[in-house]
Amino acid sequence: MEGGFGIHVGKCFIESWSRLTLEAGCRFGSCSLSFVTFAFKINSVKRQALKILSYPGFRLSPMGRWLFLLLFFFTFLLLPCLAQHRPEKKTIKLFEEAKTAYRAGNLLQAQAMLQKVLQRDTLFAEAWLLQGDVLATAKQPAKALGSYRKALTLDSVSYSQAFYVVARLEFQCGDYPAALRDVRHFLKISGGAGIAGAEKLLQQAAFAVKAVQNPENTRLRRLNNSINTSQDEYVNFVDEEQHQLIFTRKVLKPGPGKPVYKEHFFRAYRRDNAWEPPTRMRFPWDSTRSTGALGFSVDGRNMYFTGCYWPGGFGSCDIYVSQKQGKYWQFPKHLNGNVNTPGWEAQAVVSSDNTQLFFASKRPGGFGGSDIWMCIRQKNGRWGRAINLGDSINTPGDEMAPFLHADDHTLYFSSNGRIGMGGYDLYVSRKDSAGHWSKAVNLGFPVNTKANELNIFVSLNGQRAWISSDRDTAKTGFDIYSFPVFPKIRPGKVLFVKGTVQDARNGKKLAAVVLLTNLSSGRTVDSVVSDAVTGHFLMVLRVGTNYAFNVQKSGYLIYSQNFNLKKFPNIASENKTFALMPISRNARMSLHNIRFDFDRATLKPSAFPELKKLVGFLKENPAIKVLIAGYTDNVGSNAYNLKLSQRRAKVVYGYLISNGIPARRLQYKGFGNTHPLSANNSPLGRAANRRTEIVIK
């Protein structure tokens, strides 16, 4: 074949030429091409031509190659134009009017005209495409799909990019296998050229197909109709015992003109495993102001929310905090400039120890859209510089609604910028010991769906979760759903100590300092003040740590308890009354964190945090004298335990003297295994009996 154009090209080439010519005659249907479509067709034809030139035995001279390409392009681009479908002029005029109406935003008029166009000419591919655009804009994706598919049956080459549009709509409708098929086809025929988002859609569709085929072992249940209504509801908070639910309801404000919505907060209580009808939470400061995106501290006593266009605000929407005293919420405070900016800040959540604040913000310096940021509370009580959580969590899309579990290491959030099921999906990320957040993991199906899963709240015990989703649009918009948490997304185990602090003699509620100390490090890991009106408090403890738990108030003895969640990880949470004894003669306080090694009278390092509190107590009350009483469990003989307890009491006596307490104020005595506080038939009981008591003299 050298030196000539194709006297004989072989059977392989003839079959390909015939097939491609037939395909072109059937599929290339319009000469009125946009530049993008024309360029796409040129590239497609070029690839087909070069494929033929690469057949074995098909060799041409340089001049022959140019003549071949010219003839090939003529055959594939010009001949089909001569045979294209030509609508009548009146039909074209109606089509142009429909196009004008669509561009003006008049969807009903555009649709009415297109119906007339398609009644006149059912082979008008561009009219079917425009009808697909109109229906998609009108949020009727299923009907839009029908129109786009009809256009592709008429001309799948001139409008091949419609395969991508179809795949997107199929994905939006939850038909993930069809979306995967059509986006793959689009990428195949485009050769990788065309819409940049097609590769991401391919990943999303593949993920969604796999997620539906391999659902997580859980089942979602829509909360009853006393909670969910025809309006939008969003979950905000569930208390530690899952008896109280606080949520937001978006309510249409009465009045003429454009619909205006206001977010109201509601509280419901659970009785006999069912949520009772909710009551609206009213605040004296929110009657005329825009509020939303409610979040609470773990004890429910600090409320963070978003206020938009409030007087004195920095931007469109800022974050505020209100504290609860007794039954009443105080006037909210605007958070400082490290949290709020001239941009948009919302959806704040605080860590269980109240030292870290997470929130969504559209401030500059992020990855794009709304990102999740964090501030750390400084020693002066103010929030420090905002820190972006990085690309393990944030994307060029929008990340919203952060929720930090009480374990302080498991962060949940929603995003529309990651590979997911469609719309906003929910994700989880975990913080390691170095403070780095792991790459976010999709919560999977059926938690995430084709719809929007906007926010999540996970119970303190990590066993149940509540989400806000608009998956059931046939009934309502956003509703609240609940489901059992499966292991893949479960947070770390935590316990809580809650209760009421009161005077042991008259029952008066007290504002006392509640301290939690890590006995391995000696560091105070949490400190709260019980409510001055109710005496209530709640504190979170994490499995794997040995804690000293103390309650202190001036004029009262120190309350001491040990929670060794390293040695006894399965002990239960506590909810009780903590009765503080006023300082008086013969009053006793048991210090359960002054511990000794087995059969020894040497102070363990874990004893020093509580000994320091004892030194502080004695210095604060210089007039009192005390007896240091040592006790043991019942392991060993009575005589031996008596001597051991005496030696241990003497060691505490020596420590106090070495830290500035005069010897004349101190006595010590061992009592062995007498006067046990608990039965000695379990490790926990024996641990409670090995103690040091201070008796006021």
Side-chain angles (χ1 to χ4, degrees), residues 420-538:
M421 307 284 293
Y424 281 92
D425 274 15
L426 292 166
Y427 298 82
V428 61
S429 175
R430 303 180 194 273
K431 185 171 63 174
D432 63 22
S433 57
H436 301 137
W437 293 99
S438 66
K439 184 177 179 181
V441 174
N442 190 291
L443 267 55
F445 179 83
V447 177
N448 289 318
T449 66
K450 65 180 181 180
N452 295 290
E453 283 66 49
L454 207 56
N455 72 319
I456 185 171
F457 187 97
V458 180
S459 64
L460 197 63
N461 65 9
Q463 300 300 309
R464 181 160 289 275
W466 295 260
I467 67 170
S468 308
S469 172
D470 64 350
R471 64 187 63 198
D472 193 359
T473 53
K475 291 184 179 179
T476 61
F478 280 93
D479 281 344
I480 301 173
Y481 297 78
S482 175
F483 64 94
V485 176
F486 44 97
K488 170 182 163 184
I489 68 168
R490 187 170 295 150
K493 182 178 179 180
V494 300
L495 304 177
F496 65 84
V497 179
K498 68 175 286 189
T500 301
V501 182
Q502 65 183 39
D503 187 296
R505 292 182 175 176
N506 59 26
K508 179 184 177 182
K509 305 302 184 284
L510 301 175
V513 177
V514 185
L515 296 167
L516 198 63
T517 305
N518 184 325
L519 291 179
S520 298
S521 65
R523 186 172 64 89
T524 299
V525 294
D526 201 358
S527 173
V528 300
V529 177
S530 56
D531 190 287
V533 178
T534 65
H536 291 168
F537 76 92
L538 183 143

Side-chain angles (χ1 to χ4, degrees), residues 39-40 43-44 47 161 186-196 198-199:
F40 180 79
N43 286 331
S44 177
R47 285 192 298 273
Q161 292 193 19
F186 170 76
L187 288 169
K188 181 179 179 180
I189 62 176
S190 70
I195 306 297
E199 288 289 352

Side-chain angles (χ1 to χ4, degrees), residues 1-2 5 15 77 163 178-179 201 241 337 353-354 362 413 446 448 453-454 506-508 520 531 535 541 561 601:
M1 292 222 18
E2 288 188 25
F5 173 63
E15 289 178 349
L77 290 176
F163 279 107
L201 180 59
E241 295 179 304
D353 61 2
N354 294 295
K362 295 181 180 179
F413 63 96
N448 289 318
E453 283 66 49
L454 207 56
N506 59 26
K508 179 184 177 182
S520 298
D531 190 287
L541 292 74
Q561 191 168 344

Side-chain angles (χ1 to χ4, degrees), residues 588 596 601 626-633 637-653 667-675 689 691-695:
R588 292 171 174 263
F596 299 85
V626 299
L627 168 68
I628 304 163
Y631 293 88
T632 67
D633 57 29
S637 68
N638 292 343
Y640 183 82
N641 283 332
L642 186 63
K643 291 180 180 178
L644 180 61
S645 64
Q646 179 79 4
R647 287 160 45 211
R648 288 177 173 175
K650 185 178 180 179
V651 168
V652 175
Y653 170 84
Q667 300 176 43
Y668 65 91
K669 184 178 180 180
F671 291 87
N673 56 18
T674 62
H675 309 299
N689 292 329
R691 67 194 189 278
T692 299
E693 285 191 354
I694 303 298
V695 183

